Every structure is written in C-alpha cells, then in structure tokens.
Amino acid sequence: MVKQVSVGIADMKLTRQEGVLITYALGSCVGISFYDPMIRLGALLHIMLPEKTNVADANVFKFADSGIQETLRKFYAFGGMKGRIVCKIAGGAKMFEMKGPGGLGNIGERNIQMVKKVLMREGIRISGEDTGANYARTMQINVLNGQVTIKTVGKPERVL
Amino acid sequence: MAIQKYEDMGNLELDIIREIGSIGNGNAATALSAILNTGVRMALPEVVIMEFNEALNYLGSPEDVVAAILVEMSGEIEGIMLFILTQEFAAEIIGKTIGTVEFDFLEMDGIKNSVLTEIGNIMISSYINALSSLTNVNVQLAVPQLAVSMLGGILSIPMATMGINSDRIMMITGKFEVDGKEFNGDMLLLPDVASLNVLMKKLGVD
C-alpha cells in the first residue's frame, strides 16, 4: 500500500522517495505541486487567498505569496534544486456566478493570477495546469514518478 | 466588549446567535413546508466555530457531491447564507414539486436548476427576514446562485471570504426532516465577525 498524505486547506506537505500527496476538492483554492525528479522530492501546497495583507497572520500557507515562498524555502532546504523543479497547478474555479458587491465571484481567478505572478518572480515555470471553469478538483502527486492527477465529478481522471 | 474574532464569543453571545438561528430555521422550514405541501421540521441549530479543515469534516467529506444555493448578504450584516442539499434531498424536493421520478443532479436541466435555486432563495429569504425583523437590522440579499460540485469546493467560497481575517469560520447549522424522513441538508448562516457586533448591539448585549 502506497503511503498517502493528505494536505488540508491552507496547508503544505513535503515528502521524499515515495508516497502520494493529495489535496481534496479544490474550489476557488489553488493546489500547487513542486517536484524534483533527480532526488524524488515532492511538495503539495493548498492556498486559499492571493495575498497576505496582515503581517501578524501566522498561517503562511493560506496565501499564494507567503505560501509559495515558504514551500520553496523548505523545498530547497531538503535539497531540491530550482533548475530541476517541475511545477503544476490546479483549481481556481469560479464555483458560483456571483454578482454581489463583495467581489467574491472571481476569487479563484485572483488566486490563479497571484500564483502565476509569484512563481514567475521565483523563476519557476509552470509545466502543467488545470484551472478555472466552475467545478471542484482533487489533486494528487505521486512522489515516486512525479505524476500529477486531477479528479473531478463526472469526468475521467486527467494526468497533467 | 467588542468581538474581535469568533473565539471571543462567550456563552451568552453564543446562546443569542443560536436563538437567532433557531428562529431563522423555523421560518425556512415553514416556507419549505408550504412549497412542498408536507411537514418539514428542522433540528435545533448548532453554532460551531471551527478551523477550516475541521469545519469541512464537520459537514461531511470534502469530495461529497452536493448542490448548494448561495446568497451573499450585505448591509448591516455581511456574510453568506448557504443551503446545501444532497442528491437524495434534492430528489425529494424536485419529486414533490415537478413530479420527476428519475433524477440525477449531475444532469439537471434548466427547469430543475431554476426550481432548486428558487426554493433555496425562498428559504434563505424567509430565514433572513426573520433575523432582520427580530433584530431590526437591515440586510440586502444578492441574487441566489446554484452550484453542484464537491462540498470542499463549495465551502472554499465562504472560507475565502472569512479567511482574510480569520483562521476559523462560524456556522449556524440546521438539519432537515421532510415528511418524517431525515435528510442530510444544511442551512448555513455564515456571518463575518463585524456583523456579530452589530447583532449584539442591536439586541442590547455589550
């Protein structure tokens, strides 16, 4: 049985050699996987909001900007090399067609934009993506081979 | 003392919110009962303040497929109302209103979508009207929106909304019983922290 580690909302997990990292039902949230094939190091991050505005907020993995930075810091500390990183993203859906004054409707899109901006700033290319639309996704990465799979309701599994 | 975060709520404040939820649920149940022309009961509400992952597991499993009608609240109370239904519960409602026997809510057509959205809207409006007249607050409701997807994805919206300033969300829940059968549905009131202060002030609790 393959070891399966679940990544919660506003959470990140990192594992080496083997095992599966999985995060369930990404709606407007975004899942970001990082993989170094040479040393079989994988990380999966689940962010909820684009930007950390309150410096006192201790929950770094809640936000795209602080979450990606902290994940990469750990990833490099575990021996991951920037030049070898394979990065894939999923989620950022528009779950409801909201037109209210809160501007909640496009939170998914804002998350995606921020994730892309931060990754670009960090010099990391995105090599696979399944984002937008209006449905939730479960994302998993197999650390043995780096394969990222996306599950949705009523559609076949997709390998990114 | 002003409430700065959900955890600041004391027993008195929680009791008041539970009472508001109870009146809201009663009105929503009456509305549904009138539409379906059958007895509808709702359990006494729970007021839960939980961390995101905990809240999600409290309501079900993240990958459970549900239908949800969402309405944004603005004005003196800000937040979200969500009416969540399982396939079973949606089938009961559709069956009792338009009389369809075969029903798969992953393949709903325009009419079934409209029926569910409108029923959710009526229930949410009844809930909020009761809350608003009881506490004398002014609440505007946005146009209701329907989604059929995984529970986790649906809840990401209220979590992202409240999550800017909090690592927890507050849910005032309500379970249903239609025609003597229990259904796994939920009527969720998700207010932001500032709205709690408004409610307490209006009700004379300081």
Side-chain angles (χ1 to χ4, degrees), chain B residues 2-52:
Chain B
I3 299 159
Q4 309 272 349
K5 46 187 196 299
Y6 294 121
E7 299 92 295
D8 293 343
M9 300 276 290
N11 283 334
L12 173 66
E13 286 85 357
L14 289 173
D15 278 346
I16 289 170
I17 295 293
R18 193 175 295 114
E19 188 53 32
I20 289 173
S22 179
I23 290 162
N25 279 346
N27 278 267
T30 308
L32 183 61
S33 173
I35 297 165
L36 301 183
N37 198 19
T38 183
V40 176
R41 288 183 48 193
M42 282 185 76
L44 285 175
E46 299 279 338
V47 180
V48 295
I49 297 168
M50 287 177 177
E51 186 273 326
F52 306 129

Side-chain angles (χ1 to χ4, degrees), chain A residues 8-9 24-29 48-49 57 59 62 95-104 107 135-138 151-153, chain B residues 52-53 56 62-63 65 68 70 72 74 80 82 106 142 145-147 149-150 152-154 156-157 159-161 163-164 166-167:
Chain A
I9 302 159
Y24 296 100
L26 293 156
S28 59
C29 299
M48 208 171 85
L49 287 162
D57 201 321
N59 199 349
K62 194 157 82 177
M95 300 303 295
F96 294 92
E97 285 295 326
M98 288 157 74
K99 297 169 190 78
L104 288 173
I107 180 72
Y135 49 83
R137 300 163 171 91
T138 288
K151 266 200 306 181
T152 50
V153 179
Chain B
F52 306 129
N53 294 293
L56 180 50
E63 288 187 306
V65 180
L70 178 145
E72 271 179 281
S74 55
I80 287 173
L82 260 182
L106 288 177
Q145 302 295 338
L146 172 80
S149 199
M150 295 180 196
I154 303 260
S156 69
I157 297 297
M159 286 176 184
T161 317
I164 300 171
S166 172
D167 283 333

Side-chain angles (χ1 to χ4, degrees), chain A residues 103-117:
Chain A
L104 288 173
N106 62 3
I107 180 72
E109 198 188 316
R110 277 168 44 217
N111 279 336
I112 292 289
Q113 278 170 0
M114 184 53 100
V115 164
K116 288 185 175 171
K117 192 172 138 190

Side-chain angles (χ1 to χ4, degrees), chain B residues 88-139:
Chain B
E88 226 191 342
F89 192 9
E92 178 83 9
I93 288 182
I94 294 290
K96 280 206 158 48
T97 45
I98 55 178
T100 320
V101 188
E102 288 288 308
F103 176 74
D104 178 353
F105 75 4
L106 288 177
E107 286 162 14
M108 282 203 296
D109 56 18
I111 291 189
K112 289 171 194 153
N113 275 328
S114 307
V115 168
L116 270 194
T117 310
E118 196 42 39
I119 289 179
N121 188 31
I122 292 169
M123 292 170 65
I124 289 171
S125 306
S126 314
Y127 189 116
I128 296 300
N129 278 343
L131 178 152
S132 159
S133 48
L134 175 77
T135 57
N136 196 25
V137 291
N138 186 4
V139 188

Side-chain angles (χ1 to χ4, degrees), chain B residues 188-201:
Chain B
L188 298 179
L189 170 64
L190 302 129
D192 71 0
V193 174
S195 306
L196 295 172
N197 288 309
V198 175
L199 282 174
M200 294 307 150
K201 200 169 170 212

Side-chain angles (χ1 to χ4, degrees), chain B residues 154-175:
Chain B
I154 303 260
L155 287 175
S156 69
I157 297 297
M159 286 176 184
T161 317
M162 317 301 163
I164 300 171
N165 300 312
S166 172
D167 283 333
R168 285 158 195 262
I169 61 169
M170 173 192 241
M171 312 187 286
I172 296 104
T173 70
K175 298 263 175 223

